[in-house]
Amino acid sequence: MSIYRIAHLSDPHLPPPPGAFRWKDVFTKRLLSRIAWRRKRKVHRPEVLAALVADLKAAGPDHVVISGDLTNFASRTEIAAARTWLETLGNPADFTVSPGNHDALAGSAEVERFATWTPWLGDVGETSFPQVRVRGPVAIFNLCSAVRTAPHLATGRLGEEQLQRLDALLGDPAYAGLFRLVTLHHPPQKGAVAKRKQLEDQAELRAILARHGADLVLHGHAHESLIGSVPGPNSTVIPVLGVPSASAQPRGHSPARWHMIEIEDRQVRIIARGVEPGREGLSELGRYSLADIT
């Protein structure tokens, strides 16, 4: 069989465009995020993100998964600017975006806030979750854990309706013969992030995964390269992979990285590429098989 290749990047935290913060925002959570951005803008650098995107494009993946936090304040101006950035990447059908907590920081609590990103969310032309995109031998189950939260919290939540739909979709025989990949912003496993940042209904998600199974879960949010697992059916385990921010420069934290996921006859190899201190551009950081962690 031919190799199907999926690239995974996350948390690009695009620079806020002019007008992303308005005087009315001093009464919202956006004020705290704006204060934090004065420090974070030294970490999240557009030139690092541009180098990572160029490296990814040169590798020529078949599909790209972006697991959230394209924005910082979740303003309409930022969400529109993020769409403009997405348009520079290529055909929307070749990219799947799962929104993050920063993309829902303030404003409307409804997923319609992401309507301008609709072509990158799924194939049905709607702003709804979960959505399933079948690409080659892969079924991508795109979830949205992005919800508004109180100040100093970065938790996520899928909600009962989304979980019920995912339960039905993962149990659908139509996807049984495909490589089933689940993507969301918040990690589903215990202990991956602090309590104030975790997925509130992660236990419910894990129960669905344990009942129906999946081949791989991708997430962002932690700004770290994480390798974990959650229980699958019949004493199996489902690998869970996270990547650092795609725009982070290497200064006291995990630098920018992306993963190439090569799927061949249900065998999976991961090739990690990223920024290394003292080196120009991106380089290969390592490669391994998913069989090594399951």
Side-chain angles (χ1 to χ4, degrees):
M1 291 181 63
S2 61
I3 299 174
Y4 194 83
R5 303 159 79 226
I6 293 180
H8 177 213
L9 66 93
S10 194
D11 299 76
H13 289 283
L14 299 167
F21 187 87
R22 302 170 301 171
W23 69 268
K24 292 182 179 180
D25 292 328
V26 300
F27 303 108
T28 73
K29 189 178 176 180
R30 290 192 180 110
L31 176 62
L32 294 175
S33 190
R34 185 172 187 264
I35 294 171
W37 178 250
R38 294 178 179 177
R39 170 178 52 85
K40 292 181 179 179
R41 67 185 178 185
K42 298 178 182 179
V43 175
H44 300 290
R45 300 302 305 161
E47 65 272 16
V48 174
L49 177 61
L52 184 144
V53 168
D55 189 70
L56 184 153
K57 285 185 174 181
D62 297 296
H63 196 79
V64 180
V65 170
I66 306 174
S67 51
D69 277 2
L70 279 67
T71 72
N72 299 282
F73 316 141
S75 68
R76 291 182 179 179
T77 303
E78 274 191 299
I79 289 175
R83 177 187 172 113
T84 299
W85 176 74
L86 288 169
E87 289 172 341
T88 69
L89 300 181
N91 186 344
D94 296 330
F95 296 81
T96 294
V97 172
S98 180
N101 58 290
H102 273 273
D103 303 321
L105 192 76
S108 171
E110 303 299 325
V111 293
E112 281 70 23
R113 66 163 61 240
F114 306 122
T116 190
W117 297 352
T118 296
W120 292 268
L121 304 179
D123 295 333
V124 297
E126 299 176 358
T127 309
S128 61
F129 298 92
Q131 293 202 40
V132 185
R133 303 185 106 164
V134 175
R135 298 292 186 270
V138 181
I140 303 170
F141 296 78
N142 188 20
L143 309 181
C144 180
S145 59
V147 293
R148 280 190 323 194
T149 59
H152 305 295
L153 292 180
T155 51
R157 186 172 61 255
L158 297 171
E160 183 177 356
E161 181 179 351
Q162 190 175 178
L163 287 166
Q164 287 180 349
R165 293 182 62 191
L166 177 65
D167 194 19
L169 288 169
L170 282 176
D172 190 333
Y175 307 115
L178 298 173
F179 184 95
R180 294 179 299 170
L181 186 153
V182 176
T183 180
L184 72 164
H185 182 65
H186 291 76
Q189 71 272 39
K190 297 179 181 178
V193 292
K195 185 175 181 180
R196 72 177 189 87
K197 296 182 178 182
Q198 70 184 11
L199 183 66
E200 293 176 349
D201 44 11
Q202 60 175 262
E204 289 83 352
L205 174 58
R206 288 197 300 269
I208 292 172
L209 293 172
R211 183 159 53 249
H212 297 296
D215 294 287
L216 178 63
V217 179
L218 301 179
H219 70 84
H221 190 49
H223 289 204
E224 298 282 349
S225 181
L226 296 179
I227 301 175
S229 63
V230 295
N234 304 317
S235 300
T236 61
V237 296
I238 301 168
V240 179
L241 300 180
V243 288
S245 164
S247 60
Q249 60 177 328
R251 292 186 180 177
H253 47 75
S254 295
R257 175 186 293 205
W258 68 277
H259 288 160
M260 179 72 86
I261 303 160
E262 296 187 340
I263 303 166
E264 182 179 18
D265 194 22
R266 307 193 75 82
Q267 301 298 311
V268 183
R269 291 180 297 274
I270 309 298
I271 302 171
R273 295 188 58 84
V275 175
E276 289 188 279
R279 297 188 64 175
E280 292 291 329
L282 280 77
S283 57
E284 183 174 319
L285 305 176
R287 56 178 65 199
Y288 55 91
S289 168
L290 280 191
D292 297 335
I293 61 173
T294 56

